[in-house]
Amino acid sequence: MLRLIVLLAVLGGGSCSSWTRAEQPDIILVMADDVGIEGLGCYGGVSYRTPNLDRMAAAGVRFTHAYSQPLCTPTRVELMTGKDNHRNWTYFGILDPRERTFGHAMTDAGYVTAIFGKWQLQSYDPPDLPGAEARRGKGMHPKDAGFDEYALFHALHTEDKGSRYANPTMLEGRRGGEGTLRTYHGRYGEDVWVEKIMAFLDTKTDKPKFVYYPMALPHWPFVPTPDSADWNPDKPQEEHLRYGSDMIEYMDTTMGNLFQGLRQRNLARETIVIFYSDNGTHLKVTSKMKDGRLIPGGKAMPTQTGIHVPLIVHCPDRYKPAVVDGIVDASDFYPTLLELAGVEKQTGKHLDGISFVPQLVGQPTPRREAAFFWYDPRPGWDKEKFSRHVFALNKTHKLFRDGRMFRIGELPLKETLVQQDDEEDRVARAELQAVIDRAMSGVDEPPLVDAYGKVLDR
């Protein structure tokens, strides 16, 4: 259904809360799984062909300072709740079932909602992991997450998850329903999810639609895609690093398929499509930038390569093509979606995010001057090698709570440890320390634990 687009309310600084329901846009939020800015041509990457995302960026608004947490669950929890992780962290692979997600908020705003893709927020640890019995099945089931419809990989226990790529297994259901596991033999996961998005958009309703698409690509295991020369879903899938390139490129192909479906429905110009990533590229993947640098992936690390990710917003009927340099982090998506839906930020709900809608329409404020990170993905399976990192950054510096400070270079992804502060460093140190202090003030910080949930001495 075509909807009237009232640009004057936005461009003229009018309140989005004055929009009528007929003016609420359809919104698709896509989050890739493990790709930093070096993976996209529009950010200077040259190792992979990403024509669809590059076209999306050329016709949309591309953010040059978007950040995520270094690992998937911390980003997903922050993204869906609008809260920094130290306010709602429990375990890796877990979303506290008491939390309110943007699915709930968009439902309250009058949207019909759907989620298709990767969940991994209800139960993560295998049964034989020490301490797992205290955590298994303790997260939010997708039926309770605020979405009218869902089809999700890894929505139940780890041992039930099956494949996300060839012959994918998904838990499919509707709001309040336990769902049914289904395997799509001979198919590829991302292709199925795009088809489900299109079917959802085809549903007849007088309400606007919101889709959250937490994509599976290009997360390990590195296996063939339908565009790989040796793709054959009828055979066991070989795992090899060489398929990493194929998977990043099929991520782009998937976005192309999504836009093709929107164009076929005459929805490509009026639908707000947002592309983001949950963390940096896999550590074993090295990519080349057009300036000649080779960039090792930084997934799980609190380095620029672990947290500096793409963010592109496409809606030609609303937003002129632009490159914007305001800082955005994962907590900002919740209030952004609220503003796009034309509702106010809920009073009494602690949201740490700042809407980035003003940046979409060229307004200078409000915007954040720094981003705060509380990162500790423990406890959980395979988390023995992790530790806690608390830090803040602006466009020139990154400061850790332990006092380490880095200068962030003009070249994307470059950072240098400060050995001795100069005047500029001292100013940045004071400003970023204040950011950390404000974020931690009055917060009962989660206890320091090991990978199995045992409390450690500080």
Side-chain angles (χ1 to χ4, degrees):
M1 180 180 65
L2 295 177
R3 296 187 175 86
L4 294 175
I5 306 300
V6 182
L7 284 173
L8 291 177
V10 179
L11 296 177
S15 170
C16 291
S17 61
S18 66
W19 295 358
T20 65
R21 177 157 296 174
E23 295 154 4
Q24 291 176 301
D26 290 343
I27 304 169
I28 303 174
L29 170 58
V30 184
M31 185 169 69
D33 197 354
D34 294 2
V35 66
I37 60 170
E38 74 276 11
L40 277 63
C42 56
Y43 283 92
V46 297
S47 292
Y48 319 103
R49 293 167 294 182
T50 57
N52 296 295
L53 285 164
D54 295 346
R55 282 192 290 268
M56 179 184 179
V61 181
R62 180 171 68 86
F63 289 75
T64 59
H65 289 77
Y67 289 97
S68 67
Q69 291 286 336
L71 208 55
C72 60
T73 296
T75 296
R76 293 162 192 271
V77 169
E78 185 174 348
L79 181 90
M80 295 185 71
T81 65
K83 299 178 183 179
D84 293 330
N85 284 142
H86 64 317
R87 298 189 191 280
N88 59 8
W89 184 255
T90 53
Y91 322 117
F92 187 85
I94 296 295
L95 173 61
D96 191 329
R98 298 170 295 182
E99 288 293 337
R100 174 181 171 85
T101 76
F102 54 40
H104 299 117
M106 295 299 279
T107 298
D108 290 348
Y111 277 72
V112 287
T113 58
I115 178 171
F116 305 116
K118 171 185 170 181
W119 186 242
Q120 195 178 288
L121 292 171
Q122 196 263 341
S123 189
Y124 180 76
D125 292 325
D128 57 349
L129 183 74
E133 67 280 358
R135 300 186 294 275
R136 280 171 57 84
K138 295 299 178 64
M140 185 180 289
H141 191 288
K143 69 182 177 65
D144 302 318
F147 298 95
D148 296 306
E149 183 178 344
Y150 62 88
L152 296 163
F153 164 76
H154 201 338
L156 300 174
H157 289 311
T158 293
E159 62 270 24
D160 299 328
K161 66 182 181 180
S163 169
R164 74 194 82 180
Y165 298 129
N167 309 307
T169 295
M170 304 175 191
L171 184 73
E172 301 183 358
R174 301 192 63 81
R175 184 190 299 264
E178 295 292 335
T180 303
L181 284 172
R182 179 180 177 186
T183 298
Y184 288 80
H185 296 286
R187 301 299 309 281
Y188 192 75
E190 306 295 355
D191 296 341
V192 175
W193 285 318
V194 169
E195 289 175 4
K196 288 185 177 294
I197 292 171
M198 293 304 127
F200 177 75
L201 295 178
D202 288 339
T203 303
K204 301 298 183 182
T205 177
D206 61 353
K207 294 183 177 182
K209 300 182 176 82
F210 169 60
V211 178
Y212 176 34
Y213 175 24
M215 189 183 281
L217 284 169
H219 193 287
W220 176 92
F222 298 130
V223 290
T225 75
D227 285 348
S228 300
D230 51 352
W231 162 253
N232 185 346
D234 295 328
K235 293 183 178 180
Q237 300 296 290
E238 178 190 5
E239 295 182 20
H240 197 281
L241 184 58
R242 68 176 180 273
Y243 294 118
S245 297
D246 291 7
M247 293 172 70
I248 291 175
E249 293 188 355
Y250 206 82
M251 171 191 71
D252 181 80
T253 296
T254 297
M255 291 301 296
N257 292 340
L258 177 68
F259 275 104
Q260 181 181 16
L262 292 175
R263 287 192 295 270
Q264 290 170 345
R265 291 160 176 79
N266 294 319
L267 296 174
R269 293 190 58 84
E270 66 183 54
T271 302
I272 297 177
V273 181
I274 305 170
F275 180 85
Y276 180 59
S277 176
D278 66 353
N279 51 248
T281 311
H282 193 283
L283 290 166
K284 292 184 178 180
V285 175
T286 297
S287 309
K288 188 175 182 179
M289 301 289 282
K290 65 181 180 182
D291 58 25
R293 289 180 298 153
L294 295 177
I295 306 295
K299 173 182 176 176
M301 306 297 290
T303 57
Q304 292 300 96
T305 54
I307 61 175
H308 195 171
V309 295
L311 171 58
I312 306 168
V313 180
H314 181 277
C315 185
D317 278 356
R318 286 176 176 251
Y319 311 126
K320 296 179 180 179
V323 178
V324 296
D325 66 354
I327 295 173
V328 173
D329 73 20
S331 70
D332 296 335
F333 286 81
Y334 194 123
T336 296
L337 291 170
L338 289 179
E339 185 166 354
L340 293 175
V343 297
E344 301 290 343
K345 188 174 178 178
Q346 294 103 324
T347 58
K349 303 290 184 181
H350 193 293
L351 297 181
D352 294 302
I354 299 172
S355 170
F356 53 81
V357 170
Q359 297 188 62
L360 297 175
V361 296
Q363 294 178 349
T365 58
R367 66 174 63 188
R368 63 169 64 251
E369 297 301 323
F372 170 77
F373 300 77
W374 186 96
Y375 170 62
D376 187 347
R378 301 170 298 180
W381 175 77
D382 194 31
K383 299 300 177 287
E384 296 90 343
K385 58 184 175 293
F386 294 96
S387 58
R388 180 169 296 180
H389 297 278
V390 179
F391 60 100
L393 60 77
N394 57 25
K395 293 178 185 176
T396 62
H397 290 79
K398 178 193 295 182
L399 176 68
F400 285 81
R401 183 166 61 175
D402 63 11
R404 289 175 297 136
M405 189 164 70
F406 292 79
R407 297 187 187 107
I408 299 174
E410 292 186 6
L411 287 176
L413 304 175
K414 184 177 181 180
E415 57 187 337
T416 306
L417 179 65
V418 176
Q419 301 289 353
Q420 184 172 355
D421 290 3
D422 60 20
E423 181 59 29
E424 184 179 354
D425 298 329
R426 284 190 287 273
V427 171
R429 182 181 293 276
E431 291 176 350
L432 292 175
Q433 186 62 56
V435 171
I436 295 172
D437 292 343
R438 283 195 301 270
M440 299 302 299
S441 177
V443 176
D444 186 13
E445 187 172 4
L448 198 65
V449 299
D450 66 12
Y452 309 105
K454 180 181 176 182
V455 176
L456 302 173
D457 294 331
R458 291 183 180 270

